[in-house]
Amino acid sequence: MRLVFVVNDAAVEIEAVAEDMTLVDLLRDLLGLTGTKRGCESRTCGACSVLVDGRLTRACRTTAQDVESRHVTTIEGLRGPDGDLSDLQNAMLDHGAVQCGYCTPAMVVAAEALLRRNPSPTRAEIRSAINGILCRCTGYQQIVDAIEATSRGRRAARSSGETASTAHSGSSQ
Amino acid sequence: MTKLKYVGSSNLRNVDGIEKVTGQTRYVGDMTVPHMFVAKVLRSPVPHALLTELDATPALEIPGVRAVVTAADFVDQGNYGWPIKDAYILAHRKVRFVGEPIAVVAADNAAAAQAGVDAIVVRYDTLPVVSDPLRALEADASLIPEVSPTGRGNLCNTHLVRNGDPDPLLAAAPALFEGTYDLPHQEHAYLETEGALAIPEPDGGVTVYVNVQSPHINRNNAAMVLGLPVESVRIIQPPVGGAFGGKDDVLYQTTAQVAKLALLTGRPVRLVLSRTESMAASYKRQAMRIHLKLGAESDGTLRAARADLIVDSGAFASTTPLSSWRATMHAAGGYRYDAVQVDMRTVYTNNGYSGAFRGFGNTQATAAIELAIDELAANLGRDPLDFRLQNCLRRGDLTMTGAPLGSTIGLADCLEWVRNRSEWTSKRATYDAQPADAERRYGIGVACYFHGIGLGGEGVDFATATLRVEADHSLTLTSGLTDFGQGSRTIFTLVAAEMLGVTMERIRVLRPDTYTAPDSGPTVASRASVVGGNAVRVATSKIAAMLDMSAADLLGCEPEQLVRDGEQYVGPDEEPATFEEVVDHARELGFQLSAQGRWQVPEIEWDFERGTGVPYFGYVFGAQVAEVEVSRRTGRTRVVKMWAAHDGGRILHPTGALGQMYGGIAQGLGYALMENFRFENGIPQALDFDRYRIPRANDMPEIEGTYIETHLPEGPYGAKNLAEPVMIGAAPAIGNAFAHATGVRIRGFPLPRVAQRK
């Protein structure tokens, strides 16, 4: 099939792609976006998580025809406004939420999806939002800390009228 | 002493964090190079069989297939292994476990490679499967290794401790406890599977990018089986997506396989294992059966212990002879005894194969002794935490092996901390009084541990590091010890920055590469911070001395008169010189601004034949408390909260250290509640994350953790180790909390759901 969709705010056209090619293969092998990881074949590890029209999606469960005309956001599209690290990415580093880094892109994507949907999540809600992504290094606690701190920071920025260095890309639907 | 800028600071970021948090990190599976072939592996579907026929040539007739290798393509059929040379790069003459690699095919693409694998003709003449370690020891059991290393069938090796004679003390003890514990296999489940990319070099050599823990050992091994001089094999470690002990032997195989295919085809070859392959082909934590006999006085004073361990090594020895030694050295726990004897036997079976995994044998040993100590305390009517405080190792005590403890002993402090923070006493009383038929019952349990620092008697424990000042005044640091997510690169950087009085941003740590980094032995045993950090300290001190001389010369004073203001050097006249000026002047003086540092752990002496001596030069300690909720209806156990305290000496990087603790507890929680890599008649029962469950965010409780800071004189800035031992208290603490909640004592993991319904 001929595929037209939007990846990280840029229109992408691929002339010939198998309809059932998975989105993870498409992103990694055709578009070179290797921040989206493969971790299993049983569709359970969540390392390939991306946003499709803003919704958290496992790229291994999604095919080329599923994303026709849609907006896909990967880790490569989740930077702060100036191309710097987003507040969430900074918080991940400050809270020690990154060890081997293999699940980190998916965690960042999942956290952005959560915070856009629910700006004031409880720790339990944060845990549920990342429950689909396996991490073997961190025990999740510092990831939860980082997401909680980001949510606090964004609320404070909003109430004082400032713009937080929120990741801006990929929210268009 | 001057105030430290980086050591102990809570504001440190991991030096490779930015590339990871933006998705730019290139793991080996993310590397694609021009004209690259991909490889696929033929693996044994049976646990034990003779390979009566193996014809790989049909694979070469498949379009797109470029080469295929079998054992015949390697020197000495690819025989390798340390400390026992009993394994093969590809199966030779027989297969010994499900998942053992037999042949590897390189092709233009994955589909062709798989078709090539499917075309290989192989016939298995099945042999009796040996799955029960006790059965493996019987005289008529089918022999698994080609040659028995002990001359006694499937007995792989033995270890012992002889510290006095416990038998008369046990016979006379008013309180006696005896129990047998079954600790299962555990899968590392690093999120990044094993992978290697080999690139042939014009000079006949080969470069391999591979996510291995120990690049130099891998290089030596690959050179041996390829028949190349070691200089012709270059191993580069790209960023590694988790290891936990699991990324050595299995990648020695992978490395040699792709290297050979690259040499045969003259093209780059990449092999990345699928999850199912990874789970079948990689080594596991050893399953152990541990029989314990403990004797105490009526007042609770522990007197004597006897332990017998049977360790399932599986098809190959791998590092099991070493981890079983560590299990032997810790089998009676961190307590004072008058006499202890331990006997350990490692056994070959067809249950996959086992090797290094976080805790390195002490995870299983501590699980058994801590469940047993709890039961003994209960039999004596004692509070289990009080009982531990009464008997735990303190200053001046000898360990269970009869050896001195070293100078820093924080065990009692750790126990006190978890008791206070968890509100142990009141919760214990509340849960004691809860109705027996409540739908949700709660319990609180404790476990503590001691853990020898470094390799001990496992081998020469050294590391080497180099540091040089570049033309642009930046610094380049190398170490043969590696970082697979635990933060060693950050630790090395902060130690060098602290000593040299420069910013961490000025220092760049090269990726481990056998062409640039000196051999430092294996990155195992949580030794990177202490041993690797000390090597960095030694290298840095040499550069610092040259720069001090330069600065003193520049500022017209003695080196002792210099003070530092940020990176600047300041002389007695308060005139500053920048770091750059001092470097440039040092070069004018003719100094070569590069240095190498080597550090070796103080010598220890263990008599392996007699089971006596000093196994380690020092120890770390810790205690953990778990609070659990058990549902009567579902039988499900949920960990509500955990508290953890660890004596890791001086903590260099507190945020990273807590991350190690939380992650270690998650692996311990998984071991207690859900992970159980089971073999049935040699067949692995779970080869994906659906059936082999590891903890998810909702499975994990909130953890309150701390480090009880002591000061190890030998450690860099007083640091001890922590990454492995922080996991080993979790599983038994959860098991003991489960017993408190349900009244059901368990003798192994994972917690049985059936028993929970009682």
Side-chain angles (χ1 to χ4, degrees):
Chain A
M1 65 180 280
R2 180 167 166 277
L3 173 66
V4 181
F5 69 137
V6 177
V7 180
N8 299 330
D9 284 346
V12 172
E13 238 186 277
I14 303 175
E15 275 311 316
V17 58
E19 283 177 9
D20 61 349
M21 184 175 201
T22 61
L23 179 58
V24 63
D25 289 349
L26 206 160
L27 291 170
R28 288 177 55 87
D29 300 343
L30 297 189
L31 302 179
L33 295 170
T34 55
T36 303
K37 301 300 180 197
R38 293 191 186 100
C40 70
E41 303 89 49
S42 54
R43 304 178 172 191
T44 43
C45 79
C48 62
S49 297
V50 296
L51 302 182
V52 178
D53 287 351
R55 192 189 298 269
L56 187 66
T57 305
R58 284 182 180 152
C60 68
R61 291 186 176 203
T62 308
T63 61
Q65 60 180 349
D66 294 337
V67 295
E68 170 67 32
S69 307
R70 294 184 185 261
H71 284 78
V72 174
T73 307
T74 69
I75 185 66
E76 288 87 352
L78 287 173
R79 287 278 192 133
D82 322 323
D84 280 348
L85 298 186
S86 70
D87 52 351
L88 172 65
Q89 288 167 323
N90 275 310
M92 295 278 286
L93 297 179
D94 288 335
H95 286 83
V98 180
Q99 288 189 33
C100 86
Y102 203 76
C103 74
T104 303
M107 290 291 182
V108 171
V109 167
E112 275 302 341
L114 168 70
L115 292 174
R116 288 172 189 184
R117 192 177 74 235
N118 176 2
S120 311
T122 63
R123 286 179 74 84
E125 286 168 338
I126 295 171
R127 285 182 182 276
S128 292
I130 60 170
N131 198 53
I133 302 165
L134 290 174
C135 171
R136 190 57 157 171
C137 296
T138 65
Y140 306 99
Q141 184 149 319
Q142 289 166 315
I143 299 174
V144 176
D145 292 344
I147 298 170
E148 193 182 33
T150 306
S151 141
R152 240 188 341 258
R154 289 186 188 180
R155 283 203 307 277
R158 255 194 305 277
S159 63
S160 68
E162 291 167 26
T163 30
S165 58
T166 308
H168 70 300
S169 160
S171 52
S172 46
Q173 282 157 51
Chain B
M1 194 174 164
T2 51
K3 198 178 167 303
L4 298 176
K5 183 176 177 191
Y6 292 120
V7 168
S9 165
S10 294
N11 298 320
L12 300 175
R13 286 178 165 193
N14 280 348
V15 295
D16 47 11
I18 290 176
E19 60 181 66
K20 286 178 177 172
V21 84
T22 53
Q24 295 174 89
T25 301
R26 293 217 157 222
Y27 301 87
V28 69
D30 300 327
M31 293 176 70
T32 305
V33 297
H35 311 298
M36 179 179 90
F37 295 141
V38 293
K40 292 274 181 194
V41 186
L42 172 68
R43 296 183 182 280
S44 174
V46 295
H48 202 194
L50 292 173
L51 289 175
T52 45
E53 190 184 351
L54 174 58
D55 181 5
T57 51
L60 296 170
E61 283 156 35
I62 303 289
V65 168
R66 304 301 180 138
V68 54
V69 288
T70 64
D73 291 288
F74 297 94
V75 173
D76 200 13
Q77 276 73 46
N79 186 205
Y80 81 104
W82 185 84
I84 296 173
K85 204 173 169 182
D86 60 1
Y88 289 88
I89 298 303
L90 289 164
H92 171 55
R93 290 211 303 238
K94 65 186 286 194
V95 288
R96 297 177 173 84
F97 71 97
V98 172
E100 183 170 2
I102 297 167
V104 188
V105 175
D108 295 349
N109 55 57
Q114 189 56 52
V117 164
D118 295 340
I120 294 171
V121 177
V122 55
R123 223 180 63 186
Y124 306 96
D125 194 352
T126 58
L127 294 163
V129 175
V130 184
S131 202
D132 175 359
L134 284 174
R135 172 80 186 94
L137 287 171
E138 289 171 10
D140 63 344
S142 181
L143 183 68
I144 293 159
E146 284 196 313
V147 183
S148 171
T150 56
R152 290 162 62 194
N154 290 317
L155 181 67
C156 176
N157 71 287
T158 60
H159 292 301
L160 72 168
V161 171
R162 290 291 178 269
N163 174 18
D165 184 0
D167 290 342
L169 295 169
L170 289 167
L176 189 67
F177 173 79
E178 202 167 349
T180 303
Y181 295 83
D182 279 300
L183 292 317
H185 290 98
Q186 186 178 22
E187 157 69 23
H188 301 82
Y190 23 73
L191 265 292
E192 181 211 23
T193 61
E194 301 81 356
L197 166 64
I199 301 171
E201 297 291 348
D203 64 358
V206 61
T207 296
V208 188
Y209 291 83
V210 52
N211 52 18
V212 72
Q213 283 182 232
S214 304
H216 287 86
I217 297 173
N218 190 27
R219 174 199 62 182
N220 297 349
N221 193 73
M224 174 183 75
V225 298
L226 294 169
L228 292 173
V230 288
E231 310 82 59
S232 296
V233 179
R234 178 182 187 185
I235 303 293
I236 299 174
Q237 184 204 64
V240 177
F244 318 114
K247 280 182 173 162
D248 271 326
D249 305 52
V250 61
L251 284 151
Y252 303 164
Q253 292 181 321
T254 309
T255 298
Q257 292 159 6
V258 291
K260 187 70 194 182
L261 287 166
L263 290 167
L264 285 174
T265 59
R267 293 266 287 268
V269 178
R270 192 183 76 184
L271 171 59
V272 177
L273 301 200
S274 70
R275 177 61 55 187
T276 303
E277 277 186 294
S278 169
M279 284 203 180
S282 69
Y283 52 94
K284 307 288 174 263
R285 178 186 302 292
Q286 300 85 8
M288 294 192 190
R289 173 165 295 180
I290 302 179
H291 181 80
L292 292 169
K293 205 168 173 183
L294 304 172
E297 299 293 341
S298 316
D299 70 357
T301 308
L302 278 172
R303 285 288 180 220
R306 184 175 267 295
D308 279 282
L309 291 78
I310 302 234
V311 175
D312 183 355
S313 184
F316 303 120
S318 180
T319 50
T320 297
L322 309 180
S323 44
S324 62
W325 182 75
R326 185 173 281 272
T328 308
M329 295 303 111
H330 294 83
Y335 302 102
R336 242 179 344 267
Y337 295 95
D338 295 330
V340 174
Q341 291 195 0
V342 186
D343 287 279
M344 192 290 308
R345 289 173 289 173
T346 291
V347 182
Y348 287 107
T349 68
N350 298 117
N351 299 330
Y353 76 112
S354 288
F357 192 165
R358 199 174 199 164
F360 208 59
N362 195 15
T363 307
Q364 301 95 307
T366 294
I369 187 67
E370 285 302 298
L371 293 171
I373 286 283
D374 224 65
E375 216 169 325
L376 175 59
N379 294 348
L380 281 160
R382 292 286 305 279
D383 176 272
L385 211 153
D386 272 343
F387 184 76
R388 285 176 171 83
L389 277 167
Q390 179 185 351
N391 289 290
C392 75
L393 292 169
R394 293 169 189 262
R395 185 172 297 280
D397 289 340
L398 298 177
T399 67
M400 54 156 279
T401 59
L405 260 180
S407 53
T408 55
I409 306 107
L411 183 50
D413 289 344
C414 289
L415 280 163
E416 296 282 7
W417 192 91
V418 293
R419 174 158 74 177
N420 293 334
R421 301 300 293 202
S422 67
E423 298 171 39
W424 170 270
T425 309
S426 68
K427 280 182 183 156
R428 195 84 194 166
T430 304
Y431 298 155
D432 280 341
Q434 68 193 320
D437 58 353
E439 155 50 22
R440 285 164 198 270
R441 287 181 59 88
Y442 292 85
I444 187 164
V446 65
C448 65
Y449 56 86
F450 80 136
H451 189 84
I453 298 173
L455 294 176
E458 297 157 22
V460 182
D461 201 349
F462 75 100
T464 312
T466 70
L467 183 67
R468 72 169 182 266
V469 187
E470 305 290 353
D472 65 354
H473 307 100
S474 68
L475 291 123
T476 302
L477 182 62
T478 71
S479 170
L481 297 187
T482 64
D483 193 338
F484 24 90
Q486 82 279 38
S488 309
R489 286 157 66 86
T490 305
I491 296 290
F492 297 156
T493 305
L494 83 89
V495 167
E498 191 74 68
M499 282 202 68
L500 209 54
V502 298
T503 63
M504 283 175 69
E505 291 73 28
R506 207 182 264 282
I507 301 171
R508 197 165 62 104
V509 188
L510 294 186
R511 291 233 64 87
D513 174 349
T514 56
Y515 269 19
T516 58
D519 189 4
S520 293
T523 308
V524 298
S526 303
R527 67 195 199 92
S529 287
V530 175
V531 187
N534 265 327
V536 170
R537 194 175 52 84
V538 174
T540 309
S541 68
K542 295 178 183 177
I543 301 273
M546 288 188 270
L547 294 180
D548 280 356
M549 278 192 272
S550 164
D553 192 56
L554 202 58
L555 297 168
C557 66
E558 296 300 318
E560 297 74 34
Q561 295 175 286
L562 292 168
V563 290
R564 298 296 292 276
D565 176 15
E567 290 192 322
Q568 291 188 329
Y569 291 77
V570 183
D573 305 334
E574 297 190 3
E575 187 176 300
T578 65
F579 182 75
E580 286 80 359
E581 288 165 346
V582 171
V583 165
D584 292 344
H585 187 63
R587 293 218 165 92
E588 284 160 17
L589 291 172
F591 286 133
Q592 176 71 28
L593 293 180
S594 61
Q596 176 156 322
R598 186 182 194 277
W599 194 79
Q600 187 164 331
V601 168
E603 292 257 340
I604 58 94
E605 230 169 272
W606 183 256
D607 186 327
F608 288 84
E609 301 296 313
R610 293 207 167 91
T612 58
V614 179
Y616 303 97
F617 80 97
Y619 295 86
V620 296
F621 305 90
Q624 298 185 358
V625 163
E627 187 176 351
V628 303
E629 174 196 278
V630 184
S631 160
R632 172 172 296 273
R633 190 174 52 81
T634 65
R636 197 180 293 267
T637 299
R638 187 172 71 85
V639 181
V640 177
K641 181 146 187 190
M642 288 196 68
W643 295 263
H646 179 79
D647 162 17
R650 176 73 173 271
I651 299 302
L652 302 174
H653 179 11
T655 309
L658 282 172
Q660 288 302 307
M661 177 182 276
Y662 302 149
I665 288 173
Q667 291 179 359
L669 181 146
Y671 199 47
L673 293 187
M674 61 190 83
E675 297 181 40
N676 179 14
F677 201 95
R678 229 155 39 80
F679 293 89
E680 267 183 25
N681 207 26
I683 311 282
Q685 298 298 299
L687 293 177
D688 60 45
F689 286 140
D690 276 339
R691 278 164 287 188
Y692 188 82
R693 286 194 55 224
I694 63 172
R696 292 180 177 275
N698 279 336
D699 295 315
M700 288 303 299
E702 295 291 336
I703 301 164
E704 193 178 335
T706 197
Y707 283 94
I708 304 292
E709 289 213 26
T710 58
H711 186 93
L712 178 73
E714 296 89 352
Y717 294 98
K720 298 205 261 189
N721 57 323
L722 56 93
E724 291 182 88
V726 287
M727 103 161 266
I728 66 186
I734 292 166
N736 289 333
F738 173 82
H740 189 223
T742 61
V744 178
R745 287 282 169 189
I746 52 142
R747 300 271 173 93
F749 294 120
L751 297 182
R753 280 227 195 162
V754 180
Q756 291 166 11
R757 293 214 180 88
K758 281 181 191 166

